[in-house]
Amino acid sequence: MSQANLKTKPKKPPVALIQAMMNITSSLQNFRAKIMPPQVAMVEMINAYQVSQAIYVAAKLGIADLLRNQAKSSKELAQLTGMHEQSLYRLLRSLASFGIFAENEDGRFSLTPLAATLQTDTPDSVRAWAIMSGEKWHWDLWGNLIESVKTGKTAVEYTFGKPNIFEYFVQNPQAGNNFDEAMTNLASMNNSAIATGYDFSGISTLVDIGGGYGSHLSTILKAYPAIKGVLFDQPSVITGAQEFIEVNGLADRCELVAGDFFQSVPSGGDAYLLKTVIHDWDEPQAIAILKNCRRAMAEHSKLLLVEAVIPPGNTPYFGKLLDLEMLTTSGGRERTEAEYRTLFDAAGFKLTKVFATASPWKVIEGVGC
């Protein structure tokens, strides 16, 4: 993509649609509360977990992939997945009532726009997110949310005896794989929105701290051919990132560096990008990471955080529920703009501007002070 293309209106990504749907849902809930008894509206919200778990089962079984080319009956799908036919039919019938799959007049099920997002390896896929959300380890954490609210500690500590989810993944790599694939889903939905929501022109070297396999950095490098990138993450992650960077044809423009951002980060960058990194950590740890960035930065360098920024009031916002995810899993948190200003001040930065994007995530810009 050339920089000229960046001036065109970007397609609204699925995450932006999630936020729009949350706004619509909130409005509908307020409307329904006026025309039905409050307890009925409340029961509908209480039972939302049933929909989530039903989606998980369909995602886990790969139903959307099996319907990619043509509609199939529950009998055919049961044979392909090894499930009980009538039970599978009841699951799909329930999901179809929410617009997830559609039962045709001949009794066969077909894809709908919502169901299509449960396909594997499509640009709009959220299958991995659906699977992670329904896996037992994740389900158990949310089942212990009350312990986090009571103590302020992660549900991981109460449930698995680990201080945060990352320590749990060390001994449970399959759960870690669930998490990584789910994060890839989220990243693929908002990478373009970030690349078009902030002007990266004028940056010669962009250092992506904790950038995973480099999907976000790759999006930016493709949009801005003059930029060179540095991808920094843990050694095990960088090993896997090499193939991704090479497949995307960016090996000559992207340096891979392994390390620990609690110790130090690479120097020499014009801008330091941390995408959904700081929200994983509490204040002391977040400040430690940012101070290491400050030490590595030159006077002209910029700090760029990509994070949810909690709005004031009762506005529905994706980040408010994501904040509970942080409470149960990592011990981190989503923050308001004022809280980010305080965090920046403590680490030696001045917050200069918060840029909105075509997604719930924003770009928080800072400079050294």
Side-chain angles (χ1 to χ4, degrees), residues 221 229 242 244-256:
L221 294 182
Q242 184 171 355
F244 181 87
I245 294 299
E246 290 175 353
V247 167
N248 279 271
L250 296 170
D252 60 335
R253 293 176 52 207
C254 185
E255 180 184 0
L256 305 182

Side-chain angles (χ1 to χ4, degrees), residues 297-331:
M297 292 168 61
E299 288 187 13
H300 68 277
S301 300
K302 293 180 179 180
L303 175 71
L304 304 173
L305 304 188
V306 176
E307 297 284 0
V309 179
I310 302 294
N314 299 315
T315 304
Y317 180 55
F318 178 79
K320 291 181 179 180
L321 287 176
L322 187 61
D323 186 44
L324 296 183
E325 182 79 17
M326 297 300 103
L327 175 63
T328 58
T329 59
S330 73

Side-chain angles (χ1 to χ4, degrees), residues 62-326:
I63 299 296
D65 288 334
L66 295 174
L67 298 177
R68 188 188 302 268
N69 297 319
Q70 63 179 9
K72 289 182 174 64
S73 67
S74 57
K75 181 177 181 179
E76 292 175 291
L77 292 170
Q79 290 173 342
L80 291 169
T81 58
M83 296 293 109
H84 182 262
E85 179 188 344
Q86 278 300 309
S87 299
L88 181 59
Y89 171 77
R90 291 161 67 182
L91 175 83
L92 296 176
R93 179 179 61 184
S94 296
L95 289 173
S97 71
F98 290 93
I100 307 166
F101 305 110
E103 184 178 8
N104 305 328
E105 291 182 359
D106 61 2
R108 295 189 301 164
F109 287 90
S110 59
L111 289 176
T112 60
L114 281 175
T117 66
L118 297 179
Q119 295 177 96
T120 307
D121 298 330
T122 61
D124 295 342
S125 176
V126 294
R127 183 189 179 209
W129 182 263
I131 291 174
M132 183 202 75
S133 298
E135 288 287 86
K136 188 176 186 303
W137 64 267
H138 191 265
W139 195 254
D140 287 347
L141 294 179
W142 274 83
N144 287 324
L145 173 62
I146 192 170
E147 298 299 329
S148 292
V149 174
K150 181 191 300 183
T151 66
K153 298 179 180 180
T154 67
V156 180
E157 185 169 348
Y158 179 83
T159 309
F160 302 123
K162 301 294 182 182
N164 58 58
I165 197 64
F166 306 110
E167 293 294 328
Y168 173 75
F169 290 154
V170 171
Q171 295 181 346
N172 297 271
Q174 183 56 55
N177 289 339
N178 293 153
F179 177 84
D180 290 342
E181 290 172 2
M183 294 305 104
T184 299
N185 271 182
L186 282 190
S188 66
M189 291 191 294
N190 62 57
N191 284 344
S192 295
I194 305 304
T196 56
Y198 182 83
D199 184 7
F200 289 89
S201 62
I203 295 174
S204 297
T205 302
L206 178 64
V207 184
D208 189 357
I209 304 298
Y213 282 1
S215 65
H216 188 216
L217 181 58
S218 295
T219 302
I220 297 171
L221 294 182
K222 290 177 180 179
Y224 293 85
I227 295 179
K228 290 188 176 180
V230 177
L231 181 64
F232 179 79
D233 212 309
Q234 299 176 71
S236 60
V237 177
I238 290 299
T239 299
Q242 184 171 355
E243 180 180 357
F244 181 87
I245 294 299
E246 290 175 353
V247 167
N248 279 271
L250 296 170
D252 60 335
R253 293 176 52 207
C254 185
E255 180 184 0
L256 305 182
V257 180
D260 179 355
F261 51 45
F262 283 113
Q263 300 299 320
S264 64
V265 302
S267 60
D270 298 298
Y272 284 73
L273 176 69
L274 295 90
K275 180 173 181 284
T276 58
V277 169
I278 294 302
H279 79 151
D280 283 328
W281 307 99
D282 61 18
E283 257 54 24
Q285 291 170 309
I287 291 170
I289 296 168
L290 293 179
K291 282 185 174 181
N292 282 334
C293 292
R294 182 69 185 93
R295 280 189 281 270
M297 292 168 61
E299 288 187 13
H300 68 277
S301 300
K302 293 180 179 180
L303 175 71
L304 304 173
L305 304 188
V306 176
E307 297 284 0
V309 179
I310 302 294
N314 299 315
T315 304
Y317 180 55
F318 178 79
K320 291 181 179 180
L321 287 176
L322 187 61
D323 186 44
L324 296 183
E325 182 79 17
M326 297 300 103

